[in-house]
Amino acid sequence: MSMRQIKKRNGSIVDFDSGKIANAMRKAFLAMNVPITESDLSDMTSVVIRDIETNFPEAVPSVEHVQDRVELILMKSGYHEVAKHYIVYRYEHTKIREEKQQEVIEKIEESKLNITTSSGALEPYSEAPIRKTLQKFVDEGISVDVDAIMEQLKYELYEGISTADIGNALIMVVRAMIERDPAYSKLAARLLLKTIYAEVLGTESEGSLTERHAEAFRKSLEHGVSIQRIDERLLAFDIDTLAKKLDLSRDHNFDYLGLQTLYDRYFVRDENTKKVIETPQMFWMRIAMGTAILEDEAVRTERIIEFYEVMSDFYYTPSTPTLFHAGTPKPQLSSCYLNTVPDDLHAIFKNYADNAQLSKWSGGIGTDWTPLRATGAFIKGTGVNSQGVIPFLKIANDVTVAINRSGRRRGAACVYLECWHYDFPDFIELRKNTGDERRRTHDMNTASWIPDLFMKRVRDGGEWTLFSPDETPELHDIYGSAFDAKYMEYEQKAREGKIKLFKTIPAQDLWKKMISMLFETGHPWITWKDPSNIRSPQDHVGVVHNSNLCTEITLNTSADETAVCNLGSLNFAKFVTVGADGKARFDRDLVEKVVRISMRMLDNVIDINYYPTDDAKRSNMRHRPVGLGLRGLHDALYLLGIDFDSQEAVEFSDESMEIVSYYAILSSSELAKERGTYQTYKGSKWDRGIFPVDTLDLLEKERGEQIAVPRGGKLDWTRVREHVKQYGMRNSNTMAVAPTATTANIVGCIPTTEPIYKNLYVKSNQAGDFVVVNKYLIEDLKSRGLWSLGMLNRIKYADGSIQDIQEIPAEVRRRYKEVFEIDAKWLIEAAARRSKWIDQSQSLNIFFNGTSGRELSDIYFHAWRLGLKTTYYLRSLGASQVEKSTVSTSEYGATHTRGASTIVSAAMATIETAPTVETPVAEVSAIPSVPAGFDPEEWKAKLARVAAGEEAGVCESCQS
């Protein structure tokens, strides 16, 4: 994805202009009288941009990030004198800005600072209106330090600043204080809400906010239709009735991160004015209308209101493509696509074209490349040997890079290969950072598709044979004991010399390489062929050849069917209610109500959907799969007082998923009663009376080994089984647990089924950098009188962990462990309990805080033994740390082990040693191999400033 935006020093996001990078470098070369060609300038600019895109795939880089990389490329290219000028220029301008800032503060104190009003007039700046606004929010229960906010705001103002920019600066100031207390997140959201209201409703309108919303709603839809961003069919709805149902109190449910994400990426925007045309409640209503567009007119308004209620109150959220496109002229609402590539050149290039279209419309893609013949296999038509799978994957990678999903997300894809393929050892290395770049795919995910037989061979110390699919064609389309028998038959043929292209290696050696690459690159992900197929409800009409981009979808694919899945997720945090006895509980009745509405919305998507390819439409209309998932599991555990790494949490995962499964399956069957079964229902496991919970026994029988997952549950399933027997199912598949990262951010809960990442960290995405704090921890510490700025600094010093803070009681420290402080086996045990109720799979990240290959291998074997179908990313404990600019190193010490800036890395590539943040400035001694043209003392001081985080590094000529 080409860079589209950049974050200025004041935190605002502006359009990116690559010409400013070239201009900044050009000026530095001219200042030092060093010749440079425009071609070389262009090449260096391209390197800077590629580097930024690699390091910020989903986030908006800051001016400082860009300038650090400009310094790096100048030094790596050998232009040390030019780099010196560039560094000094940045430093001098930092001092100039500081001086100007002091002048502004003096003007404020003397009431001499002028601001520009919305009419263009100049008038003296006054703090009074801003204080009044902040105090209003304080009076409404948001407890913040108004004086501290106003004091910091002074540093963001300048002569002639517009009132709009003052509003943005105020939001940036409050946003920076979120780490102090979640209340600042609420305040920042309220301030942003004022901006959104003004943008959509105007500032001069009369009447109450509710009346203005009702009036503006129709105008918003009409305007959206006029600019071809809203489907004109929405204008035929009962807009007046729907407008009265907009509940503005729900706007106060947002935290800042959620609202800012919606504002930046999801709201419909007029590209001419650059303004959004909908408020948060208008947005939810537009999604509700867009997903009810084909409902019967007699009940359509009722359905829309139901849909709106569950979304706007954060019980259920559709996936991002649905939020992007519902109610628009091209409603591509589906989340992910799966396909397989036949061993045919025309089919290969058709797949590139299909995937480009699917990615363009926000779909995540999983592609099975196993059928392609291996390197060295003979091609009869041309009389030459094949170059194998890898060159084609390189092209697939470049297609992925070229696509920007709906202009709002990077193109994203995952390629799958079965581990018996002759090219599999090369496939494992696709994400390596070394080796032949022509055989690397740095921008595309990879996953291994593994039969049970391989896992047994690894465990038992057996041999493993790699084949080319053109000589072993059956292996791709069979699984379980049938695969085992055919595979061993091919092994015998290879021994007899009846197969030309094969290689036999110790299975453990291949597994070790897979584990090593996982640890080094996070790829290929580990997914299992046999459980995915044996437990599939659709085993009667095809084969599951791979999963999707996020590994939660397990649907059949073929040469003429691209599997499609439509996703949404329940927010478990909202289903924890307090009963009359004062005890928190998981509310089954509430789950039933919301699941019924959610399943109807998901089923509607299938018929409303715009399908980018015929193969996708054919598949989705035949089988109608959907994937209802969940997020906010850890929120629910916090609210219930359950530690994540406990048997009680494992039992909760089992029992809560059973409730969701019960009503998801029943709801689909009720939809079948109303609308009819899906086309391929006859012969399915549903038709045969086999439910997801029954399929563990099938897998155990086929595998020939015990699967140590308790069977059964706590609900009486007779009602559901009888309903399905009588009326069938509307959907071939009903459940899948997706990652839900962005939609979880929108509604302010912890993503998917994982523990909280950290108690305090900075999250980066396309909307910018956001401080995320564990609101449950802070409230707990407040209730015990333990929360203070001093405690905040101690937690920051420990990068979010509280495990070594002895003042915090042991039970609190146990409750608030971060993800890397929890044994991965707890996540797997809980996933296995959920898995028995789910007809698809789960996006299960593996978090590993260690370096032992044996331990990592044991984790994946544990997942396999428990019958899991797929795993997702391997997350190892990285070097990223919480920003500690407000933490006194003299009081708390220093914890960083790396340079604070890219410039330090660049210096270390140029000289033998360089100080890091751990090194006190006073202890920096003479540095050898100082770059040519630099005064040793100046170079030493520069590195010390950067290392200490004191170098601001902003240049007006480069993206300011």
Side-chain angles (χ1 to χ4, degrees):
M1 179 189 73
S2 59
M3 284 176 61
R4 300 174 68 243
Q5 293 179 309
I6 191 166
K7 184 172 65 175
K8 295 174 66 175
R9 180 170 161 271
N10 64 3
S12 62
I13 306 295
V14 298
D15 290 340
F16 172 75
D17 179 3
S18 62
K20 289 188 176 182
I21 295 177
N23 287 338
M25 288 194 288
R26 187 182 295 109
K27 288 180 180 179
F29 277 99
L30 288 172
M32 299 306 295
N33 292 315
V34 175
I36 185 72
T37 67
E38 287 299 315
S39 176
D40 287 344
L41 269 178
S42 177
D43 289 344
M44 286 193 290
T45 300
S46 296
V47 171
V48 170
I49 293 173
R50 282 200 302 272
D51 189 23
I52 290 288
E53 290 172 351
T54 299
N55 286 279
F56 297 86
E58 292 288 344
V60 176
S62 69
V63 172
E64 289 89 343
H65 291 133
V66 174
Q67 292 175 338
D68 285 344
R69 280 157 177 80
V70 168
E71 293 179 4
L72 174 63
I73 189 59
L74 287 172
M75 284 190 288
K76 280 190 171 181
S77 301
Y79 297 112
H80 299 301
E81 290 204 17
V82 178
K84 171 187 174 182
H85 173 82
Y86 192 85
I87 291 168
V88 172
Y89 179 87
R90 290 177 66 184
Y91 180 58
E92 289 176 347
H93 275 68
T94 299
K95 292 192 293 183
I96 292 171
R97 279 191 303 276
E98 291 171 352
E99 292 170 0
K100 287 182 177 180
Q101 204 169 56
Q102 189 58 43
E103 292 175 6
V104 168
I105 292 174
E106 291 173 2
K107 279 188 174 184
I108 293 172
E109 292 172 350
E110 297 170 4
S111 300
K112 293 181 179 179
L113 182 72
N114 291 315
I115 64 173
T116 305
T117 66
S118 56
S119 65
L122 288 176
E123 65 178 36
Y125 167 72
S126 171
E127 290 186 347
I130 301 174
R131 280 187 175 274
K132 183 178 180 181
T133 297
L134 294 176
Q135 190 58 50
K136 175 178 177 292
F137 292 131
V138 171
D139 294 342
E140 292 175 356
I142 300 177
S143 181
V144 295
D145 187 338
V146 174
D147 289 336
I149 294 171
M150 295 305 302
E151 184 63 28
Q152 186 59 40
L153 180 62
K154 294 178 181 178
Y155 292 91
E156 306 301 327
L157 305 180
Y158 53 86
E159 180 65 28
I161 186 174
S162 69
T163 51
D165 283 344
I166 292 175
N168 291 334
L170 181 60
I171 293 173
M172 292 302 119
V173 167
V174 176
R175 162 174 153 172
M177 295 180 172
I178 289 174
E179 63 184 30
R180 299 186 182 189
D181 193 302
Y184 287 92
S185 181
K186 291 293 185 185
L187 176 58
R190 298 284 185 93
L191 293 169
L192 176 57
L193 200 58
K194 282 174 59 68
T195 299
I196 296 170
Y197 285 170
E199 208 167 304
V200 178
L201 307 177
T203 55
E204 306 300 327
S205 304
E206 296 182 356
S208 70
L209 198 56
T210 301
E211 292 170 343
R212 290 163 63 194
H213 258 80
E215 180 182 345
F217 184 49
R218 179 180 293 275
K219 292 181 180 178
S220 170
L221 293 175
E222 291 173 344
H223 181 53
V225 170
S226 72
I227 61 175
Q228 299 182 324
R229 295 298 312 281
I230 297 292
D231 191 326
E232 63 181 7
R233 290 178 292 178
L234 269 57
L235 297 180
F237 291 4
D238 187 352
I239 296 174
D240 292 337
T241 297
L242 297 177
K244 292 176 184 177
K245 292 294 181 178
L246 298 174
D247 187 346
L248 304 189
S249 68
R250 294 178 182 178
D251 283 347
H252 297 166
N253 293 339
F254 285 103
D255 292 329
Y256 175 70
L257 171 57
L259 188 58
Q260 185 71 56
T261 301
L262 282 183
Y263 178 68
D264 287 336
R265 297 178 57 195
Y266 288 82
F267 290 165
V268 172
R269 191 178 295 269
D270 186 327
E271 291 303 316
N272 294 317
T273 65
K274 305 299 182 185
K275 292 183 177 181
V276 298
I277 67 170
E278 56 189 359
T279 65
Q281 297 310 309
M282 292 179 187
F283 163 78
W284 292 125
M285 188 63 79
R286 189 251 303 169
I287 305 302
M289 295 166 74
T291 48
I293 206 163
L294 297 181
E295 289 277 4
D296 186 89
E297 190 173 349
V299 297
R300 188 167 58 199
T301 298
E302 178 186 346
R303 296 301 183 204
I304 292 171
I305 293 169
E306 286 178 347
F307 296 172
Y308 167 77
E309 291 290 329
V310 298
M311 290 189 294
S312 64
D313 216 10
F314 295 177
Y315 286 104
Y316 167 78
T317 310
S319 64
T320 283
T322 302
L323 298 181
F324 276 169
H325 300 136
T328 69
K330 284 286 183 71
Q332 196 303 104
L333 312 181
S334 295
S335 305
C336 45
Y337 298 87
L338 293 72
N339 48 31
T340 187
V341 186
D343 188 27
D344 174 83
L345 196 59
H346 293 289
I348 291 169
F349 278 83
K350 176 183 180 293
N351 180 263
Y352 295 147
D354 285 355
N355 283 1
Q357 288 296 323
L358 298 173
S359 190
K360 171 185 175 181
W361 291 101
S362 295
I365 302 167
T367 302
D368 159 44
W369 286 84
T370 301
L372 269 66
R373 68 191 64 202
T375 304
F378 186 69
I379 304 174
K380 187 182 296 184
T382 57
V384 298
N385 291 334
S386 171
Q387 295 187 60
V389 177
I390 305 303
F392 291 110
L393 296 182
K394 178 65 173 175
I395 298 172
N397 178 83
D398 295 341
V399 170
T400 299
V401 173
I403 304 299
N404 181 15
R405 291 187 282 170
S406 299
R408 288 177 276 195
R409 296 203 291 178
R410 274 185 94 188
C414 181
V415 291
Y416 286 74
L417 200 71
E418 295 199 40
C419 68
W420 52 263
H421 196 288
Y422 190 82
D423 288 341
F424 188 74
D426 291 331
F427 175 82
I428 294 172
E429 297 185 339
L430 281 173
R431 292 294 297 256
K432 280 186 71 172
N433 291 319
T434 57
D436 186 352
E437 280 298 306
R438 292 169 298 181
R439 300 180 70 80
R440 297 291 178 264
T441 59
H442 300 298
D443 302 284
M444 189 167 64
N445 301 301
T446 61
S448 306
W449 196 239
I450 304 171
D452 283 353
L453 182 62
F454 175 74
M455 301 299 291
K456 293 176 182 178
R457 294 273 181 94
V458 173
R459 181 193 60 197
D460 301 337
E463 299 288 309
W464 187 247
T465 305
L466 305 173
F467 296 108
S468 180
D470 61 316
E471 294 188 278
T472 56
E474 294 95 338
L475 295 183
H476 182 241
D477 288 326
I478 55 177
Y479 52 86
S481 58
F483 174 91
D484 296 356
K486 181 59 67 171
Y487 182 85
M488 288 186 279
E489 179 183 322
Y490 280 130
E491 284 186 309
Q492 181 60 33
K493 286 185 177 181
R495 286 191 289 268
E496 294 171 355
K498 296 178 181 178
I499 288 180
K500 297 178 181 178
L501 189 62
F502 70 93
K503 182 189 299 182
T504 299
I505 58 177
Q508 289 183 355
D509 287 357
L510 184 58
W511 177 249
K512 287 176 183 176
K513 184 173 182 179
M514 294 164 66
I515 292 297
S516 296
M517 285 297 100
L518 260 175
F519 189 77
E520 180 180 335
T521 69
H523 294 84
W525 304 329
I526 302 294
T527 60
W528 289 286
K529 175 180 184 175
D530 289 339
S532 296
N533 277 283
I534 293 165
R535 301 192 63 200
S536 170
Q538 291 293 94
D539 57 344
H540 66 307
V541 288
V543 177
V544 182
H545 293 116
N546 58 294
S547 188
N548 65 317
L549 170 65
C550 305
T551 76
E552 80 277 14
I553 305 304
T554 49
L555 300 174
N556 297 343
T557 59
S558 65
D560 62 353
E561 281 198 358
T562 293
V564 185
C565 203
N566 319 288
L567 301 177
S569 56
L570 305 171
N571 180 3
F572 266 28
K574 294 288 292 185
F575 296 103
V576 177
T577 59
V578 178
D581 57 0
K583 293 182 179 180
R585 63 190 181 93
F586 190 71
D587 194 328
R588 175 180 169 179
D589 294 337
L590 192 54
V591 173
E592 176 182 4
K593 175 184 175 181
V594 175
V595 166
R596 275 204 170 93
I597 296 170
S598 304
M599 288 295 291
R600 190 178 194 92
M601 289 182 71
L602 287 168
D603 187 62
N604 285 355
V605 163
I606 297 167
D607 297 306
I608 296 167
N609 207 43
Y610 165 75
Y611 293 96
T613 70
D614 291 338
D615 290 353
K617 183 173 184 179
R618 183 183 304 111
S619 173
N620 218 28
M621 299 306 292
R622 289 186 72 209
H623 314 301
R624 306 186 68 86
V626 299
L628 181 64
L630 63 111
R631 53 199 148 79
L633 172 69
H634 204 174
D635 297 79
L637 293 176
Y638 282 141
L639 294 169
L640 292 166
I642 300 173
D643 294 350
F644 197 102
D645 52 347
S646 67
Q647 191 59 36
E648 191 178 1
V650 172
E651 298 296 336
F652 175 76
S653 286
D654 191 334
E655 295 166 13
S656 60
M657 196 69 231
E658 180 183 10
I659 295 171
V660 173
S661 180
Y662 185 99
Y663 290 112
I665 296 170
L666 179 60
S667 297
S668 182
S669 186
E670 289 170 344
L671 285 169
K673 178 181 178 181
E674 176 187 342
R675 297 173 169 179
T677 63
Y678 66 93
Q679 291 178 28
T680 57
Y681 171 74
K682 287 296 182 183
S684 68
K685 279 191 172 71
W686 304 113
D687 185 38
R688 284 140 51 199
I690 302 171
F691 280 33
V693 71
D694 305 322
T695 60
L696 272 178
D697 288 339
L698 298 180
L699 178 61
E700 186 173 87
K701 181 179 179 182
E702 194 79 9
R703 186 178 284 180
E705 298 182 5
Q706 182 183 9
I707 297 174
V709 175
R711 308 301 200 266
K714 294 192 173 182
L715 303 182
D716 181 359
W717 281 75
T718 305
R719 172 191 176 193
V720 183
R721 290 181 184 273
E722 289 180 349
H723 200 284
V724 171
K725 183 178 181 179
Q726 183 174 359
Y727 297 106
M729 292 286 286
R730 180 64 174 169
N731 313 99
S732 66
N733 299 74
T734 61
M735 289 163 283
V737 180
T740 72
T742 305
T743 54
N745 289 337
I746 289 171
V747 302
C749 70
I750 298 167
T752 190
T753 58
E754 294 169 359
I756 195 166
Y757 173 64
K758 277 185 169 293
N759 290 314
L760 175 67
Y761 69 101
V762 176
K763 178 178 178 60
S764 295
N765 61 23
Q766 284 191 338
D769 295 338
F770 301 85
V771 174
V772 179
V773 296
N774 187 339
K775 58 188 176 184
Y776 303 102
L777 169 62
I778 292 178
E779 289 305 314
D780 207 336
L781 293 177
K782 278 183 177 180
S783 69
R784 299 166 187 267
L786 293 174
W787 184 247
S788 65
L789 284 178
M791 179 61 73
L792 167 63
N793 284 337
R794 295 194 66 177
I795 295 174
K796 288 176 72 174
Y797 167 75
D799 291 309
S801 174
I802 64 170
Q803 297 310 306
D804 293 329
I805 303 177
Q806 297 303 314
E807 292 91 329
I808 298 177
E811 68 271 16
V812 177
R813 281 181 275 140
R814 283 196 302 271
R815 178 69 37 83
Y816 297 102
K817 288 181 181 178
E818 299 173 340
V819 69
F820 284 107
E821 294 167 341
I822 293 173
D823 192 319
K825 291 185 178 180
W826 286 109
L827 280 77
I828 292 170
E829 292 281 350
R833 292 294 192 94
R834 283 189 301 273
S835 177
K836 69 182 182 181
W837 304 111
I838 299 172
D839 49 45
Q840 294 203 66
S841 190
Q842 307 169 68
S843 289
L844 178 66
N845 286 322
I846 301 297
F847 295 88
F848 181 60
N849 182 12
T851 57
S852 167
R854 180 177 295 277
E855 290 178 6
L856 186 57
S857 174
D858 288 345
I859 289 172
Y860 282 101
F861 260 94
H862 187 53
W864 172 71
R865 282 193 296 268
L866 292 180
L868 292 185
K869 300 176 183 178
T870 60
T871 62
Y872 195 24
Y873 279 100
L874 171 65
R875 308 286 191 184
S876 56
L877 188 60
S880 59
Q881 296 174 306
V882 178
E883 172 57 46
K884 302 178 179 66
S885 59
T886 60
V887 179
S888 167
T889 54
S890 62
E891 181 178 355
Y892 297 101
T895 64
H896 286 66
T897 58
R898 300 187 299 170
S901 166
T902 307
I903 187 64
V904 174
S905 298
M908 293 177 71
T910 309
I911 60 181
E912 293 180 17
T913 59
T916 67
V917 177
E918 278 189 328
T919 310
V921 175
E923 296 179 11
V924 179
S925 56
I927 302 173
S929 304
V930 176
F934 277 82
D935 175 79
E937 291 303 312
E938 183 181 335
W939 180 251
K940 177 173 62 178
K942 163 66 183 176
L943 289 178
R945 286 194 304 273
V946 173
E950 298 169 356
E951 191 74 274
V954 180
C955 170
E956 268 65 4
S957 66
C958 187
Q959 301 297 326
S960 59

